[in-house]
Structures are given as C-alpha cells and as structure tokens.
Amino acid sequence: MTPPAAIRLSPSDNVVVCCRSIEAGETFVVEGQSLTVTQAVPIGHKLALFALAPGDKVLKYGMPIGSMTMAADPGGWVHMHNMKSDYMPAHLRDAAGDQA
C-alpha cells in the first residue's frame, strides 16, 4: 500500500501535513479534496487544504498555531513566509546556529 502524500491531523484542521517531499505540480486527494501543489514542499511541512486569507487562523492538531500573513490557495505551502506564530516570535537560524 502506498502511503498518503499528506494527512489531515484533525477534522477541524485547514492544513494538511506532507508525509513525504512533494513536487510542484503534483496532484493528490486528501479526504475527498483534490490538491495541486504549487511549489516543492518538504516532508513534514504544511499545505493549505482550503483557500486561506491574511489574518485567517492556521489550524493544526485541531488548534490554532498561527495566523496567515499572506493568502494561500488550496495546495499552497504554509510556512514562515506566509504565516506567523501568534504565541512566540519567529526566528531563523543558519547551519552554524547563528540567528539570521
């Protein structure tokens, strides 16, 4: 049996989590919703299950984990470039562990 490309962790989630790296243009179905991925997305990252607008809460594990800062279409990558945590400041680190 082939593992799913992505899974929805809770029925109330508006994002799905990639079970493997997904290539741009790939199409698959999650819970009856057809998604076409707009750019390559690494394993473990989130994709919008539905259209998300700026200010929308991102729901994962049935809980809000942040807010959208930019719109994402269904199948769009949801990550630090278009969402922010509502709980802690986001930061990036380079390979040496220095803050960017």
Side-chain angles (χ1 to χ4, degrees):
M1 180 176 186
T2 304
I7 59 171
R8 190 177 192 187
L9 299 174
S10 173
S12 61
D13 290 355
N14 55 11
V15 295
V16 295
V17 178
C18 297
C19 298
R20 59 175 171 76
S21 295
I22 299 176
E23 299 300 319
E26 188 173 338
T27 299
F28 55 89
V29 176
V30 177
E31 295 186 10
Q33 174 81 21
S34 179
L35 297 177
T36 299
V37 179
T38 56
Q39 65 188 99
V41 180
I43 187 173
H45 283 238
K46 298 172 295 300
L47 297 170
L49 185 57
F50 311 106
L52 299 173
D56 284 352
K57 295 294 183 190
V58 177
L59 302 175
K60 182 179 175 187
Y61 310 111
M63 301 294 295
I65 62 165
S67 296
M68 296 300 293
T69 58
M70 296 172 41
D73 291 328
W77 186 24
V78 176
H79 197 54
M80 292 178 66
H81 67 284
N82 61 1
M83 73 163 283
K84 66 176 182 71
S85 171
D86 292 337
Y87 308 103
M88 65 180 71
H91 63 276
L92 298 173
R93 297 186 182 271
D94 66 18
D98 298 326
Q99 286 191 342

